[in-house]
Amino acid sequence: MESKITYYKTPIGTAKIIGDENGIQSVSVLDDDAISNESLNLKTPECLEDCVLQLEEYFTGERTNFDLKLNPKGTTFQKKVWTALLNIPFNKTKTYLEQSKALDNVKAIRAVAAANGKNPIWIIIPCHRVIGSDGSLTGYAGGIWRKKWLLEHESPVKQQSLF
């Protein structure tokens, strides 16, 4: 079965979505100048329409949970780590250490962090919700500024600008 591709413009870059009838394989973020307008204007394949709709609802604040068939490509260990990420609720964070403990392998903290970094399904598998033990926003393939934006987007307390 041939994978389909579509693009969706988000407030923090263009999402590139890849998948087929077996599920979403990848959602990555591109800088807006990395994609042509022609690609943005292509019709979304039917098998990816629900993913685009749910991402749109997430960004407008109408969705806190995704209900999509996922089919990420990775090792058995990576898939186990990514499945655990799905258990981190909207507007909550976990540390890499807490994530390792949840997988019953506290010594695997570096491997868990590496698997998080290879997460192919941006936002939907919420690796942005994993932070350093000191509360720092460590490592994020989409860029720390995007991780910060996503965590603030999910926060029930919206910071008001003083200026």
Side-chain angles (χ1 to χ4, degrees):
M1 185 174 307
E2 186 179 330
S3 295
K4 308 287 186 198
I5 298 175
T6 195
Y7 298 92
Y8 167 66
K9 200 162 177 65
T10 80
I12 54 175
T14 299
K16 179 181 182 182
I17 304 164
I18 302 172
D20 57 28
E21 286 74 21
N22 293 321
I24 302 301
Q25 297 163 1
S26 170
V27 177
S28 56
V29 63
L30 309 169
D31 291 325
D32 287 332
D33 59 357
I35 183 97
S36 69
N37 282 332
E38 295 83 47
S39 295
L40 282 172
N41 294 325
L42 292 175
K43 179 170 173 18
T44 298
E46 188 177 335
C47 62
L48 303 178
E49 286 176 349
D50 203 30
C51 184
V52 170
L53 174 68
Q54 290 190 34
L55 282 170
E56 188 173 305
E57 291 170 346
Y58 171 84
F59 281 108
T60 60
E62 299 169 44
R63 176 172 291 275
T64 58
N65 291 310
F66 292 92
D67 183 21
L68 296 164
K69 187 174 181 183
L70 304 178
N71 188 19
K73 305 293 181 228
T75 66
T76 302
F77 178 76
Q78 287 171 332
K79 289 178 181 180
K80 184 177 177 184
V81 170
W82 301 334
T83 298
L85 287 170
L86 294 168
N87 295 322
I88 304 173
F90 184 86
N91 185 37
K92 300 289 182 209
T93 58
K94 271 193 174 178
T95 66
Y96 290 100
L97 180 60
E98 289 170 331
Q99 191 185 11
S100 297
K101 287 178 181 175
L103 292 164
D104 294 325
N105 193 345
V106 73
K107 292 185 173 147
I109 189 167
R110 289 190 199 284
V112 167
N116 280 358
K118 299 263 190 245
N119 170 17
I121 304 181
W122 180 63
I123 296 179
I124 297 164
I125 297 178
C127 59
H128 62 278
R129 295 180 188 151
V130 181
I131 59 174
S133 293
D134 62 357
S136 63
L137 302 183
T138 59
Y140 188 63
I144 295 294
W145 74 271
R146 284 190 177 104
K147 183 173 190 162
K148 183 177 189 286
W149 191 99
L150 291 166
L151 292 172
E152 287 174 356
H153 174 69
E154 294 184 5
S155 173
V157 179
K158 301 299 181 205
Q159 183 67 39
Q160 298 295 317
S161 175
L162 299 175
F163 304 100

